[in-house]
Amino acid sequence: MSILVTGGTGYIGSHTVVELLKKNEEVIILDNLCNSSKDVLDRIEKITNKKCKFYEADIRDEKELEKIFSKNKIDSVIHFAGLKGVGESVEIPLEYYDNNVYGTVKLLEVMKKHGCKKIVFSSSATVYGDPGTHKYVEEMGRGKASSPYGATKAIIEEMLENLYVADNEWTISILRYFNPIGAHESGLIGENPNGIPNNLMPYIQKVAVGELKELSVFGDDYDTKDGTGVRDYIHVVDLAEGHVKALEKLTSPGVYIYNLGTGSGYSVLDIVRTFEKVNNVKINYKIAPRRPGDLAMYYADPSKAKKELGWEAKRGIEEMCRDSWNFIKNL
């Protein structure tokens, strides 16, 4: 039986595919390549010495989904496919609802039709909204999302919960993760978005290699130690390993929700200075106004994932910064 990974050539998806192949799983990748490149498939093969079946398709295309499920015996799905920029989602909300929510509806309909009722969903800490505390635990539930991106993740979570109520044969794992950075230790895969990056580390990388003049630090007047926003940054390989653990636990029907983070917070300037230090490069930056939808500080309580999945983050901030540079400088 196969595992379908939607968005499997993307940043987190590709690292998760590598971890699945290391476990000798049969993996099928679906991706529309809107924010990734087909050469990632060759890089995955170089790392693992294994090939994946690949479909260039959009999750909103029901005919393509039907074809994929008809031709393959798919047992479970890890669902990454979606637009993911917080700031961008404020500017183009309809595209986010269409791609993320409508696309997931189509995917779930086809899964149900083909009797595939196991899914790991790539959610986000943004579903907590602004709960008035910096440490996020799963029991808080969902708050008012601070961006259309966060709202799409919250809607999909609720949709999955409703699906289980209607049909309790479904086994669903919802992974709320924090801020993934870093790259595979081989330097072959990492984060390299098309166009101007939405996220911090790929922007730092492009400044480091001279593609962009300087990093814009959005806000230096937050109530944090240095005025810049604080996030729980997690190494992408740790995150990928969390998805494999969650998939392995899809043994009995239900909805299972986990934070995947380190439990520690680092500021934007912490990341900039650590990147400079471990890689001996200079990152030019300027202070810019706050972005709509950004919060001052938040980080995970990852204890539930440790207890129930046997998972915890192992890699630190220096390793995240070193691996990010190792990837981008070799492109």
Side-chain angles (χ1 to χ4, degrees), residues 79-128:
H79 179 31
F80 293 105
L83 301 176
K84 62 174 188 175
V86 170
E88 182 185 64
S89 76
V90 176
E91 297 168 4
I92 52 168
L94 293 181
E95 284 88 337
Y96 272 70
Y97 286 102
D98 179 49
N99 195 95
N100 297 5
V101 178
Y102 176 74
T104 303
V105 170
K106 292 287 110 185
L107 174 66
L108 292 170
E109 284 177 346
V110 176
M111 287 177 66
K112 182 179 178 182
K113 181 177 175 182
H114 289 267
C116 176
K117 296 183 180 181
K118 291 183 178 181
I119 185 168
V120 176
F121 173 57
S122 163
S123 191
S124 165
T126 57
V127 302
Y128 290 110

Side-chain angles (χ1 to χ4, degrees), residues 9 28-33 38 41 52-57:
T9 59
I28 298 167
I29 295 174
L30 177 158
D31 205 302
N32 68 1
L33 303 178
K38 204 170 179 179
L41 298 169
C52 286
K53 192 178 285 188
F54 172 72
Y55 292 91
E56 185 176 345

Side-chain angles (χ1 to χ4, degrees), residues 220-237:
D220 66 345
D221 57 350
Y222 288 108
D223 185 17
T224 60
K225 64 178 183 178
D226 59 22
T228 65
V230 169
R231 299 289 181 267
D232 186 336
Y233 293 94
I234 176 173
H235 197 293
V236 67
V237 177

Side-chain angles (χ1 to χ4, degrees), residues 37-276:
S37 168
K38 204 170 179 179
D39 69 3
V40 169
L41 298 169
D42 296 329
R43 291 165 178 263
I44 289 171
E45 187 181 349
K46 268 188 186 174
I47 293 168
T48 63
N49 291 315
K50 293 174 183 173
K51 278 184 180 288
C52 286
K53 192 178 285 188
F54 172 72
Y55 292 91
E56 185 176 345
D58 193 297
I59 55 169
R60 294 168 291 185
D61 188 336
E62 192 170 352
K63 284 185 179 177
E64 279 297 309
L65 289 175
E66 275 288 346
K67 184 173 81 174
I68 293 165
F69 275 84
S70 296
K71 288 185 174 181
N72 302 279
K73 291 183 178 177
I74 297 169
D75 174 65
S76 53
V77 174
I78 303 182
H79 179 31
F80 293 105
L83 301 176
K84 62 174 188 175
V86 170
E88 182 185 64
S89 76
V90 176
E91 297 168 4
I92 52 168
L94 293 181
E95 284 88 337
Y96 272 70
Y97 286 102
D98 179 49
N99 195 95
N100 297 5
V101 178
Y102 176 74
T104 303
V105 170
K106 292 287 110 185
L107 174 66
L108 292 170
E109 284 177 346
V110 176
M111 287 177 66
K112 182 179 178 182
K113 181 177 175 182
H114 289 267
C116 176
K117 296 183 180 181
K118 291 183 178 181
I119 185 168
V120 176
F121 173 57
S122 163
S123 191
S124 165
T126 57
V127 302
Y128 290 110
D130 187 359
T133 181
H134 302 316
K135 190 175 187 179
Y136 292 1
V137 296
E138 293 88 347
E139 288 72 25
M140 286 175 176
R142 292 179 290 271
K144 179 173 171 50
S146 58
S147 68
Y149 163 75
T152 66
K153 294 294 187 181
I155 290 167
I156 295 166
E157 283 196 11
E158 189 164 0
M159 192 162 66
L160 289 166
E161 290 169 350
N162 293 341
L163 184 59
Y164 174 71
V165 170
D167 179 357
N168 56 23
E169 291 181 355
W170 282 83
T171 310
I172 298 163
S173 188
I174 294 170
L175 303 181
R176 294 173 178 165
Y177 42 80
F178 286 67
N179 288 64
I181 59 175
H184 192 267
E185 63 183 0
S186 65
L188 288 170
I189 57 173
E191 188 167 20
N192 186 32
N194 299 329
I196 300 296
N198 289 310
N199 297 327
L200 175 63
M201 184 55 79
Y203 214 111
I204 289 174
Q205 292 170 321
K206 287 186 181 291
V207 173
V209 297
E211 284 185 38
L212 294 172
K213 179 185 172 186
E214 60 190 0
L215 169 72
S216 292
V217 176
F218 297 107
D220 66 345
D221 57 350
Y222 288 108
D223 185 17
T224 60
K225 64 178 183 178
D226 59 22
T228 65
V230 169
R231 299 289 181 267
D232 186 336
Y233 293 94
I234 176 173
H235 197 293
V236 67
V237 177
D238 281 329
L239 194 60
E241 290 171 351
H243 286 77
V244 175
K245 290 281 191 184
L247 188 70
E248 290 170 353
K249 285 286 185 177
L250 292 183
T251 53
S252 57
V255 180
Y256 308 93
I257 300 175
Y258 300 102
N259 286 336
L260 295 186
T262 66
S264 300
Y266 294 101
S267 74
V268 173
L269 291 183
D270 282 333
I271 298 294
V272 170
R273 288 164 184 154
T274 303
F275 191 96
E276 290 180 325

